[in-house]
Structures are given as C-alpha cells and as structure tokens.
C-alpha cells in the first residue's frame, strides 16, 4: 500500500481561495483513498482545526503545526503536491518537498500522479 503525504498551498489573503484549496485537498485525498492508498492530507486535517485557533496569528499557527507536519511526513513514503496556483511560492510546500527529497523519497505533482488514481 502506498503511503502518501498530500501537500497543497494553503494560506491566502482571499478566504475563498483558502476554502477552494481545502475542497481540492479533500477531493484529491478521497480519490487516492478510493484507489487503495493511504493518504495524509495536512490541509484537510488542519483547516477545520485552524478555525478554532482564530486567536493565533499566521506565524503562531505555523509553529503549532510544524512538529505535527514533521511527524506525519516521517511516517509517509512519498509526497504528492497538488499543483494548484501558488504551489511554487508556498514556503510550506517547499519545506515538504525538501523533507522528502532529502530522504530520497518520491516527490510528484498531482498533475503527473493523478493517472495512478483513476476517478
């Protein structure tokens, strides 16, 4: 069974963009699971929780999630990045790519990997 960490750009000044990224993350994660792979979608997990952390600023939320993110990245064997607009500029996605590449683990873009997960 493939063990996939799913990455997606998240933060944005426009809340509609953030919601779209959450929805896309959920749709991709569902497609991966439906095809028999294990997936951890950081955006799917953190977005609803972040709503309960409205008293924290963006930097504090990032510090809160960093060790949790690292725990799940260590457990997963490969990274798939949802290559929606903003993924190349995302510091979080860059950190996740570096983590997997530094360990010699597979890194793919969703646009390349989605053929492995038929709808």
């Amino acid at each position: 069974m493939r063990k996939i960490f799913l990455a997606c750009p998240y933060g944005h000044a426009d809340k509609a963009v953030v919601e779209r990224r959450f929805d896309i993350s959920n749709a991709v994660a569902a497609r991966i699971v439906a095809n028999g792979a294990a997936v951890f979608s950081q955006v799917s997990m953190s977005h609803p929780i972040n709503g309960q952390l409205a008293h924290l600023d963006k930097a504090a939320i990032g510090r809160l999630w960093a060790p949790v993110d690292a725990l799940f990245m260590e457990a997963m064997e490969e990274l798939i990045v949802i290559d929606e607009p903003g993924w190349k500029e995302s510091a979080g996605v860059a950190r996740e790519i570096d983590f997997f590449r530094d360990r010699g683990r597979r890194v793919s873009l969703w646009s390349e990997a989605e053929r492995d997960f038929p709808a």
Side-chain angles (χ1 to χ4, degrees):
M1 174 182 284
R2 290 171 71 175
K3 298 175 186 174
I4 298 164
F5 187 99
L6 185 62
C8 183
Y10 177 67
H12 196 279
D14 184 344
K15 291 185 182 207
V17 173
V18 173
E19 287 299 321
R20 175 172 159 67
R21 290 171 173 177
F22 173 63
D23 292 341
I24 290 168
S25 294
N26 293 336
V28 172
R31 190 163 152 186
I32 291 170
V33 168
N35 278 276
V39 64
F40 175 75
S41 172
Q42 200 273 346
V43 170
S44 299
M45 186 181 97
S46 65
H47 180 70
I49 296 169
N50 288 346
Q52 302 299 313
L53 301 172
H55 62 286
L56 297 177
D57 65 18
K58 184 179 175 181
I61 289 174
R63 286 190 302 274
L64 181 72
W65 283 114
V68 176
D69 202 25
L71 178 78
F72 282 101
M73 286 191 294
E74 193 61 53
M76 298 293 114
E77 296 171 347
E78 66 179 285
L79 174 70
I80 294 178
V81 177
I82 299 173
D83 45 340
E84 282 290 305
W87 77 270
K88 291 180 184 177
E89 296 78 27
S90 170
V93 170
R95 185 183 70 249
E96 292 157 351
I97 290 170
D98 288 345
F99 183 96
F100 280 83
R101 284 192 176 148
D102 289 349
R103 286 157 180 78
R105 298 181 190 171
R106 182 177 175 182
V107 174
S108 306
L109 296 177
W110 176 244
S111 61
E112 300 164 346
E114 68 179 315
R115 68 181 175 277
D116 295 344
F117 306 96

